[in-house]
Amino acid sequence: MQIEFVKCHGSGNDFPLVDARALDLPEDAWVRLARALADRAGPVGGDGLLLLTRGDATHAFGMRMFNPDGSEAETCLNGVRCTARLGFERLGIAEARVLLKTSDAEAALQPELAPGVTTIRTRVGPVSTLASDVGLRIDAREVIDAPIPGFPSERAFTAVAMPNPHLVSFVDRVDEAELVALGDWCEAGPALLPARGNVSFVEVRGSAEAPALFVRTYERGVGLTNSCGSAMAASTYAAARTGRIAFDRETQVFNRGGMVRASATQAAEVTIAGNATFEWDGRISFDPETGALSALEVIGRRPAEVAAWDEMLATISR
């Protein structure tokens, strides 16, 4: 069968995005498609597979996100922006409530972050800091800027469910080797965290008057990644909850992939405004039974969008 898709990214978090509203494939076929399309050694590659799905009475459309290993994530906020843009374009609307795996998100077009950079705001929450919601099997009710009993690190963490699980630690300087070691430990599905989790090290930069966050994340099902939208959101909430930034104040949040503007409320809602960049459109042959891909065809490229994003990146400090 032929699969058409858009190659897109949010803050450098890149995906093939499929309008799946009229596609009825068995679950194992979606898993095979995700593994094939997101394979960096394959013809497309990405940090996962995004699906624009049908909505319901209260949601204009939905989103599903599969990691490169075929596991399905509860959410992906960089992916929500990209999926929302496609939904807006297909339905001729500018805002919507988006149905996710276990929750939902509000999305709306926003003024551009920079000329030519399509920008979408998403709002999610209330997020949870209950250890049980994060998937931690510990006696404590929650973990807020404290060591996690049984975790192979003495660092202080804040555990946040977006609803996907995040462990956020504020550091003076990101040590990638340490981050990868902790991420690998979580990825093994230990008894402490059997459903695995995302681990982020966060530097607070800027000044007291204008703080900024730099986030480096080991993403569940992906590994060390240049960008994870839900990690940026979790880090924003964790920073506000621990007094490192103010609630209800927009903060610039950076990672290796780019930048978003984010804020958190005391009611545990997080708002992120960031890019939804479409790079090129493609079509590929896919065998649902075997997962084999063949005959990639690039239908069209979007050089103006790519150039606008590259120009914006050149103006920001990461």
Side-chain angles (χ1 to χ4, degrees), residues 32-303:
R32 283 191 283 270
L33 181 63
R35 290 174 176 166
L37 281 184
D39 184 356
R40 292 291 185 187
V44 180
D47 288 325
L49 169 67
L50 300 177
L51 304 179
L52 173 66
T53 60
R54 292 186 289 267
D56 57 23
T58 57
H59 301 88
F61 50 83
M63 181 196 82
R64 297 182 70 183
M65 186 275 189
F66 290 88
N67 293 312
D69 66 357
S71 61
E72 185 172 1
E74 293 90 343
T75 189
C76 169
L77 295 187
N78 288 329
V80 169
R81 296 200 305 276
C82 294
T83 306
R85 175 181 171 179
L86 184 61
F88 293 164
E89 292 180 357
R90 297 290 166 91
L91 297 177
I93 58 178
E95 59 182 307
R97 184 172 289 276
V98 183
L99 180 65
L100 306 176
K101 182 181 180 183
T102 61
S103 61
D104 62 11
E106 296 178 8
L109 280 171
Q110 293 290 286
E112 296 176 341
L113 284 173
V117 177
T118 300
T119 302
I120 290 176
R121 184 198 73 232
T122 57
R123 183 167 63 207
V124 296
V127 305
S128 174
T129 55
L130 293 177
S132 57
D133 289 344
V134 180
L136 287 168
R137 294 187 174 177
I138 57 177
D139 292 334
R141 182 175 183 271
E142 59 183 3
V143 178
I144 304 295
D145 210 17
I148 301 173
F151 198 63
S153 173
E154 296 181 355
R155 289 191 181 275
F157 284 86
T158 297
V160 184
M162 294 299 306
N164 58 337
H166 289 269
L167 305 177
V168 178
S169 184
F170 294 93
V171 300
D172 293 331
R173 186 177 182 84
V174 171
D175 183 328
E176 289 191 358
E178 180 186 359
L179 176 61
V180 169
L182 292 177
D184 285 345
W185 187 86
C186 291
E187 195 70 1
L192 178 69
L193 191 64
R196 305 178 298 164
N198 305 285
V199 185
S200 293
F201 283 175
V202 182
E203 298 175 14
V204 180
R205 298 179 175 179
S207 63
E209 295 76 22
L213 304 178
F214 174 76
V215 182
R216 198 79 170 102
T217 300
Y218 186 109
E219 186 174 359
R220 180 180 60 170
V222 179
L224 190 65
T225 180
N226 284 341
S227 185
C228 175
S230 59
M232 297 169 93
S235 299
T236 300
Y237 181 73
R241 179 71 183 268
T242 60
R244 290 175 167 88
I245 62 174
F247 282 112
D248 300 307
R249 178 176 177 179
E250 191 172 74
T251 301
Q252 288 189 332
V253 184
F254 298 88
N255 55 29
R256 289 284 183 86
M259 181 271 290
V260 299
R261 297 191 181 112
S263 63
T265 71
Q266 290 184 335
E269 292 186 328
V270 182
T271 298
I272 283 184
N275 75 299
T277 299
F278 287 1
E279 298 181 311
W280 52 277
D281 303 83
R283 181 187 299 122
I284 198 164
S285 297
F286 168 66
D287 185 337
E289 297 296 325
T290 67
L293 298 177
S294 61
L296 170 65
E297 178 185 359
V298 177
I299 302 170
R301 297 190 181 275
R302 308 190 188 214

